Amino acid sequence: QVWANIDAQLAAAGMTKADIVKVTVLLADRQYAMANRAARAEYLGPLAPAMTVAIAGIFDAGWLLEIDVIAAQ
């Protein structure tokens, strides 16, 4: 769902995932690392924006991850 939300925000700004230059992913727990990597690879395909992934306590205990994307044209 999170990548669909990112697509929607990019589209609202007249951009696509090809415009992503930086992705920051905060994972609630290391156990989600492989699933995150697979979902990210499926979404980004051959695109290779700068990437930061960190294991961090997240404010809302119901969230498994937070993703921050910077895009530019």
Side-chain angles (χ1 to χ4, degrees):
Q1 179 62 48
V2 68
W3 292 110
N5 294 346
I6 290 167
D7 264 344
Q9 293 302 309
L10 289 168
M15 293 191 258
T16 70
K17 63 184 173 183
D19 297 308
I20 296 173
V21 296
K22 173 77 169 88
V23 176
T24 302
V25 179
L26 302 176
L27 296 173
D29 191 288
R30 183 176 306 280
Q31 70 177 328
Y32 306 120
M34 294 306 291
N36 171 65
R37 181 177 293 160
R40 188 178 67 233
E42 181 179 332
Y43 175 76
L44 290 174
L47 301 174
M51 182 79 55
T52 300
V53 179
I55 309 302
I58 296 177
F59 177 73
D60 187 322
W63 296 356
L64 303 180
L65 73 147
E66 292 184 45
I67 298 179
D68 178 53
V69 171
I70 298 172
Q73 290 184 318

